[in-house]
């Protein structure tokens, strides 16, 4: 495959010395999402995946620049029956989107987790480790759980 728009954007930013980290999560077998500093992109067809068609763009209702700033590898997790979630470093929070309801939610973390980790098991999301704003390591594990009935 050749480079598509988002890959070229990442490559160009890296040449200028700017780090840029997308959030990425799969919702189901046919739809995955990429989140940058202001837009959620739905990758929902082979044409979009190969760059033959543009992705569906969903405007994030608030500044999500903390997602790229999180510098978190594999920043994104699917939460069963809820949606997809990403870690945002500024403000330190969990940013979630429900494809079924077309709604966003933002849930605060108690500390910053730059370069930490995110994982989901069923209806529970864990954000852990990383560093705080001063660069000091943190051992805090944030736990977000959604009940069966929303």
């Amino acid at each position: 495959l050749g480079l598509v728009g988002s890959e070229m954007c990442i490559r160009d930013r890296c040449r200028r010395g700017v780090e840029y980290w997308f959030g990425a999560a799969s919702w189901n077998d046919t739809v995955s999402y990429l989140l940058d500093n202001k837009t959620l992109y739905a990758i929902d067809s082979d044409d979009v995946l190969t760059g033959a068609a543009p992705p569906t763009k969903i405007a994030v209702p608030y500044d999500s620049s903390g997602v790229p700033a999180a510098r978190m590898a594999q920043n994104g997790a699917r939460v069963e029956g809820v949606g997809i979630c990403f870690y945002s470093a500024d403000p330190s929070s969990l940013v979630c989107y429900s494809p079924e309801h077309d709604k966003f939610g933002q849930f605060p973390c108690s500390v910053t987790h730059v370069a930490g980790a995110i994982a989901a098991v069923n209806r529970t999301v864990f954000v852990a480790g990383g560093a705080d704003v001063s660069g000091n390591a943190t051992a805090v594990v944030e736990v977000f759980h959604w009940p069966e009935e929303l």
Side-chain angles (χ1 to χ4, degrees):
L1 292 175
L3 291 176
V4 294
S6 60
E7 290 174 319
M8 287 186 282
C9 177
I10 292 168
R11 186 179 65 185
D12 289 343
R13 289 174 193 253
C14 290
R15 259 193 249 135
R16 289 181 285 180
V18 176
E19 290 186 33
Y20 200 80
W21 300 60
F22 278 87
S26 292
W27 172 237
N28 56 33
D29 290 340
T30 60
V31 181
S32 293
Y33 292 92
L34 296 174
L35 179 62
D36 69 8
N37 62 332
K38 59 185 172 190
T39 306
L40 183 68
Y41 302 90
I43 312 304
D44 53 6
S45 72
D46 287 340
D47 284 344
V48 173
L49 184 63
T50 62
T56 301
K57 295 179 181 181
I58 304 162
V60 179
Y62 43 77
D63 180 12
S64 60
S65 60
V67 172
R71 297 191 333 240
M72 186 178 285
Q74 301 175 2
N75 186 358
R78 178 186 180 275
V79 185
E80 183 180 307
V82 174
I84 52 169
C85 295
F86 307 91
Y87 173 69
S88 172
D90 185 22
S92 183
S93 58
L94 189 67
V95 176
C96 299
Y97 174 73
S98 170
E100 292 177 5
H101 300 103
D102 190 31
K103 291 192 178 187
F104 284 88
Q106 189 170 23
F107 309 93
C109 290
S110 62
V111 299
T112 301
H113 297 277
V114 171
I118 184 171
V121 178
N122 298 321
R123 298 173 75 87
T124 303
V125 176
F126 304 91
V127 177
D132 63 19
V133 293
S134 300
N136 299 312
T138 179
V140 174
V141 177
E142 314 277 353
V143 180
F144 301 88
H145 179 75
W146 283 266
E148 290 301 316
E149 296 86 31
L150 288 178

